[in-house]
């Protein structure tokens, strides 16, 4: 009998599909993926692939971005219920009130958000390029949505701007325990602490390096003099960390930060969508897609 891996390989060839997996997907899913990365990297990469079918192993806002950037391709989500709570955590009234109060306002939107929220915004950012883009904006007043932790992190590095924050957060990073990180530091005094800017301020204060998931993986790969790392992001990233630094040890806070929406994805779901074409992402309404697309294009322009 064929293994699940063999079945997926066969279906991929039949459908001319490519499998894209986010760093936070379960290890068995990352193992069968053609490409692993963060959501924007995967969506952009797909533009240059010939495959007409993309299986996006991530949460719904990622599938939506992939569809906007690849309108002629079929984007299949293995788990249609996988969603990111932070992607919805801003109300239109917050944006309208700030626009009314500040004439030269720029609404800066973290890419981890729905297409509708992107469409209210002037520019999108990733956790990797947010500082550069905010500094490059001509506007003095910045409304940063939806994540307040990333907003505060960027504000510290762009003191010439005036920031207005929104009360959104990623529950996985927000509720990570600083005490648990301190305990790990005591137990492993040689370890460097690498954390994601979505973490709360107490965790960021303990970090040797703060950066995106790709940044954390790159940092660990390049700092070969260090053999132990304490990681402040979702534990799914350990798959890539182990691959690039098999000699190193990675420690996570005891209350292991996991993203249930990502981790509940299974190989059976990948097989199901490949077989049936179920869970295809619909193109958002035209006007909304156009406005969200503008915010994404502005990001590419300002990140250059
Ligand atoms: S880790 Fe946080 S931001 Fe990322 S998908 Fe999960 S809930 Fe959303």
């Amino acid at each position: 009998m064929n293994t699940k891996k063999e079945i997926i390989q066969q279906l991929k060839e039949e459908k001319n599909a490519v499998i894209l997996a986010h760093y936070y997907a379960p290890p068995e899913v990352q193992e069968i993926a053609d490409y692993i990365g963060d959501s924007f990297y995967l969506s952009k990469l797909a533009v240059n692939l010939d495959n007409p079918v993309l299986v996006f192993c991530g949460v719904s806002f990622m599938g939506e971005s992939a569809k906007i950037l690849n309108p002629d391709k079929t984007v299949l989500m293995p788990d249609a219920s996988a969603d990111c709570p932070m992607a919805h955590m801003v109300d239109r009234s917050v944006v309208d009130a700030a626009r009314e109060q500040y004439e030269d306002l720029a609404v800066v939107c973290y890419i981890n958000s729905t297409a509708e929220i992107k469409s209210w915004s002037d520019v999108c950012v990733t956790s990797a390029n947010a500082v550069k883009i905010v500094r490059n904006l001509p506007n003095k007043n910045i409304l940063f949505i939806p994540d307040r932790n990333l907003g505060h992190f960027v504000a510290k590095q762009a003191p010439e701007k005036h920031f207005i924050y929104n009360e959104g957060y990623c529950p996985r990073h927000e509720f990570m325990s600083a005490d648990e990180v301190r305990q790990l530091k005591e137990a492993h005094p040689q370890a460097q602490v690498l954390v994601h800017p979505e973490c709360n301020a107490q965790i960021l204060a303990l970090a040797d390096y703060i950066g995106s998931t790709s940044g954390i993986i790159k940092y660990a790969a390049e700092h070969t003099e260090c053999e132990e790392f304490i990681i402040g992001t979702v534990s799914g990233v350990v798959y890539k960390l182990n691959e690039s630094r098999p000699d190193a040890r990675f420690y996570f806070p005891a209350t292991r930060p996991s993203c249930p929406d990502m981790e509940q994805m299974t190989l059976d779901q990948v097989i199901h969508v490949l077989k049936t074409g179920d869970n295809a992402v619909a193109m958002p309404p035209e006007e909304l897609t156009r406005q969200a697309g503008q915010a994404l294009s502005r990001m590419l322009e300002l990140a250059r």
Side-chain angles (χ1 to χ4, degrees), residues 32-300:
I32 53 100
D34 297 296
Y35 299 95
I36 304 168
D38 58 34
S39 60
F40 188 60
Y41 160 79
L42 292 172
S43 300
K44 251 190 355 183
L45 171 127
V47 174
N48 297 317
L49 298 175
D50 292 333
N51 312 70
V53 178
L54 314 175
V55 178
F56 206 115
C57 303
V59 294
S60 54
F61 79 80
M62 300 176 184
E64 207 179 39
S65 299
K67 183 69 185 171
I68 290 175
L69 291 169
N70 299 273
D72 299 329
K73 296 183 182 173
T74 301
V75 181
L76 302 174
M77 304 300 287
D79 182 356
S81 68
D83 198 3
C84 166
M86 184 178 71
H88 305 269
M89 278 190 201
V90 60
D91 204 83
R92 177 71 200 237
S93 60
V94 171
V95 176
D96 290 346
R99 287 214 191 270
E100 207 157 291
Q101 191 174 355
Y102 300 98
E103 233 176 63
D104 78 328
L105 185 80
V107 180
V108 176
C109 178
Y110 187 20
I111 198 146
N112 290 21
S113 53
T114 63
E116 186 181 6
I117 291 174
K118 289 185 182 85
S119 76
W120 307 337
S121 312
D122 298 301
V123 62
C124 289
V125 295
T126 66
S127 50
N129 66 23
V131 173
K132 184 175 183 186
I133 287 180
V134 166
R135 281 190 186 143
N136 282 345
L137 282 168
N139 318 58
K140 166 97 178 149
N141 293 299
I142 308 289
L143 169 65
F144 198 96
I145 58 173
D147 183 22
R148 64 157 183 255
N149 290 338
L150 181 60
H152 281 279
F153 170 72
V154 177
K156 271 201 179 138
Q157 294 166 80
E160 70 281 15
K161 305 285 182 182
H162 171 247
F163 270 69
I164 303 120
Y165 304 100
N166 167 69
E167 285 306 302
Y169 55 85
C170 161
R172 322 303 162 215
H173 290 89
E174 169 73 9
F175 301 124
M176 215 177 277
S177 155
D179 280 343
E180 289 181 2
V181 174
R182 270 186 221 105
Q183 283 158 16
L184 283 171
K185 272 177 78 121
E186 272 166 35
H188 309 282
Q190 306 302 326
Q192 291 198 27
V193 182
L194 319 183
V195 312
H196 196 283
E198 285 172 24
C199 287
N200 63 60
Q202 294 75 24
I203 300 261
L204 297 190
L206 299 170
D208 295 296
Y209 170 79
I210 303 171
S212 64
T213 317
S214 317
I216 289 173
I217 294 166
K218 189 163 178 267
Y219 186 98
E222 286 174 359
H223 288 72
T224 48
E225 76 288 356
C226 184
E227 288 174 352
E228 293 182 296
F229 297 94
I230 297 163
I231 305 295
T233 192
V234 171
S235 58
V237 72
V238 81
Y239 178 85
K240 262 287 169 197
L241 287 169
N242 281 333
E243 198 180 81
S244 61
R245 283 295 308 278
D247 60 312
R249 287 176 299 287
F250 301 100
Y251 309 109
F252 288 82
T255 331
R256 227 173 146 77
S258 65
C259 179
D261 281 277
M262 293 276 197
E263 288 181 8
Q264 66 201 5
M265 210 178 311
T266 64
L267 293 183
D268 287 328
Q269 289 172 325
V270 174
I271 293 172
H272 176 79
V273 293
L274 274 169
K275 264 191 190 155
T276 61
D278 277 355
N279 303 346
V281 179
M283 196 66 178
E286 208 179 310
E287 183 57 8
L288 190 150
T289 304
R290 190 187 61 75
Q291 288 168 342
Q294 271 175 359
L296 285 166
S297 309
R298 185 106 195 268
M299 167 173 84
L300 297 176

